[in-house]
Amino acid sequence: MDLGVMDILEPSVFEVRCFRIVVGVRLPLCMGPGRTCGLGEEEQKNSKKMGELPLNINIRDPRWDQSTFVGRAKHFFTVTNPLNLLLSDARLKTVQTIVENYRAGIVAPGMTEDELWKAKYEYDSAFHPDTGEKVYLIGRMSAQVPMNMIISGCMLTFHKNIAAVIFWQWVNQSFNAVVNYSNRSGDATVTEKQLATAYLSATTGAVVTAVGLKSLTKHLPSLVSRFIPFTAVAAANCINIPLMRQREMVVGIPVTDEAGYKLGYSTKAAQLGIFQVVTSRIGMLIPPLTIIPLLMNVLEKKDFLKRRPWLLGPLQVGLVGFCLLFSTPLCCALFPQKSSISVNRLEPELRAKIKKQSPNMEVVYFNKGL
């Protein structure tokens, strides 16, 4: 029987010790974000006998080791799972309650560790990690594969028509604007003017790049023109993401110690985070927008598709989706979500402040965004 009692003892900026009472047994709760704490042998036995889920599971961080690429890949395969888009509002409200209650020391009766992790990842798929706000449906990472599958597939299918090129580049940048805003780092607010500037600049850059390259390559083999969508998208990402997150480069993003205690705001960390996101975004589009054009250039010459040209579009979209199922999580995993930066690379004022508080601290951490 869980009496739902939680006492806060010895509070400080670095550590809060929490306990709950379960039929007379005091079980320690995780001490702050990013930390875990161990249960005593006797407490573990008592908890196990009663079937209670222990409170030392750190669900603030991913389930798998984020210091390795494999661990990050497992994490992002779960985060980008398109099936998360099918979660109802009622289910999202349920998992939000489960996660918030667990962090507060309250466990639903009979819940298993696997069920807790499932709830945590469903919660993460729909809520911003820093602000806790629910993310727009198409702005969630689980929407990356289906949305990019349709957009990229259509850009490749209609690459010969100039009007279609302009239209799909506009659609792509509209989608990117929502994604970049929804997955910005920290709790930075973005004004309507900044949103409009980033959106118009990226859309203009993508369209100008696509149209310009199309005119330059019209006398070259048709295979060359198939790579125009990738070039345009890559150029637009280099414009869109920095502009959408420009406020972070002005005021900085939160940097913390390993335990999650906020140390200040850093523009250097923001610049590094934006660079990592741009690299990942371009990387995830390399397979669908470079391999598929080469493959389609061969398949289109086959008699089967010559007799059934209506299959070209659906086939191209399907192949793009297959590539994205793997390239999206794998490229997101190139860099840790909780990225790090050397204290020596921070701004002089922040570096001095950190060195004064913790002379031995060499690395600080930040959310790079997605």
Side-chain angles (χ1 to χ4, degrees):
M1 176 181 175
D2 192 337
L3 301 182
V5 180
M6 181 174 69
D7 302 320
I8 308 296
L9 303 178
E10 303 176 12
S12 73
V13 292
F14 291 101
E15 178 180 276
V16 177
R17 287 187 178 178
C18 301
F19 295 88
R20 70 171 185 169
I21 299 176
V22 183
V23 196
V25 180
R26 308 184 78 187
L27 300 177
L29 181 61
C30 288
M31 298 181 289
R35 293 191 182 183
T36 59
C37 57
L39 297 175
E41 290 184 11
E42 184 179 346
E43 291 167 329
Q44 285 181 347
K45 290 178 181 178
N46 288 332
S47 177
K48 208 167 187 180
K49 287 178 182 177
M50 293 181 291
E52 288 287 341
L53 189 66
L55 286 172
N56 66 333
I57 301 172
N58 184 10
I59 61 170
R60 295 184 183 275
D61 291 335
R63 185 173 192 175
W64 298 279
D65 181 8
Q66 297 299 284
S67 65
T68 68
F69 177 77
V70 173
R72 295 195 297 272
K74 289 180 179 179
H75 167 69
F76 280 109
F77 267 107
T78 306
V79 170
T80 61
N81 184 356
L83 294 178
N84 288 334
L85 291 175
L86 302 178
L87 296 173
S88 65
D89 287 339
R91 175 59 184 173
L92 291 177
K93 182 66 177 176
T94 298
V95 297
Q96 182 183 27
T97 301
I98 290 172
V99 169
E100 291 177 351
N101 281 352
Y102 185 84
R103 289 172 177 172
I106 304 170
V107 180
M111 174 172 287
T112 66
E113 184 174 346
D114 285 341
E115 290 172 341
L116 175 64
W117 280 113
K118 182 181 179 182
K120 175 260 194 311
Y121 272 103
E122 289 179 353
Y123 170 84
D124 288 350
S125 75
F127 295 89
H128 192 280
D130 292 331
T131 65
E133 297 175 352
K134 185 184 287 187
V135 177
Y136 301 116
L137 188 68
I138 65 170
R140 299 172 190 174
M141 290 307 293
S142 50
Q144 282 287 300
V145 171
M147 290 298 296
N148 277 323
M149 177 181 72
I150 297 170
I151 295 171
S152 299
C154 289
M155 283 196 293
L156 292 175
T157 302
F158 304 110
H159 71 280
K160 295 179 181 180
N161 185 294
I162 190 68
V165 168
I166 294 173
F167 174 76
W168 285 108
Q169 288 295 338
W170 168 74
V171 171
N172 185 49
Q173 291 313 312
S174 299
F175 169 63
N176 283 342
V178 175
V179 173
N180 294 336
Y181 174 76
S182 301
N183 295 283
R184 66 200 182 281
S185 177
D187 53 2
T189 56
V190 182
T191 66
E192 292 182 1
K193 182 179 179 181
Q194 289 171 330
L195 284 172
T197 301
Y199 173 65
L200 292 175
S201 299
T203 304
T204 302
V207 171
V208 169
T209 302
V211 174
L213 287 175
K214 186 166 181 60
S215 63
L216 290 173
T217 59
K218 61 184 178 182
H219 299 302
L220 296 176
S222 61
L223 177 61
V224 176
S225 65
R226 290 180 180 272
F227 294 99
I228 290 177
F230 170 71
T231 308
V233 169
N237 274 332
C238 293
I239 299 170
N240 194 336
I241 297 173
L243 282 175
M244 191 64 69
R245 295 174 57 176
Q246 60 183 299
R247 189 173 186 275
E248 297 175 25
M249 293 189 286
V250 176
V251 302
I253 58 176
V255 294
T256 69
D257 60 12
E258 191 173 7
Y261 172 69
K262 187 184 293 185
L263 302 169
Y265 289 80
S266 170
T267 57
K268 297 290 185 182
Q271 292 168 12
L272 178 58
I274 290 170
F275 170 77
Q276 292 175 344
V277 169
V278 170
T279 302
S280 295
R281 293 282 186 88
I282 293 175
M284 70 176 64
L285 291 174
I286 289 177
L289 293 183
T290 59
I291 297 175
I292 301 305
L294 291 172
L295 182 60
M296 290 305 298
N297 193 55
V298 174
L299 293 177
E300 283 180 359
K301 298 173 184 177
K302 302 296 182 182
D303 290 336
F304 179 80
L305 287 177
K306 282 183 177 180
R307 292 194 301 268
R308 302 169 180 82
W310 56 271
L311 278 176
L312 289 173
L315 177 61
Q316 200 152 222
V317 171
L319 290 172
V320 167
F322 179 77
C323 284
L324 287 169
L325 276 175
F326 297 94
S327 66
T328 299
L330 292 177
C331 287
C332 283
L334 289 175
F335 307 99
Q337 185 62 39
K338 184 180 178 182
S339 199
S340 61
I341 184 173
S342 170
V343 172
N344 293 329
R345 292 180 59 187
L346 299 175
E347 298 86 335
E349 299 83 3
L350 181 58
R351 182 170 63 241
K353 175 185 174 183
I354 293 173
K355 287 294 185 183
K356 183 178 180 181
Q357 292 179 348
S358 306
N360 297 323
M361 187 175 295
E362 297 182 355
V363 175
V364 293
Y365 301 88
F366 62 93
N367 174 22
K368 69 176 176 65
L370 289 170

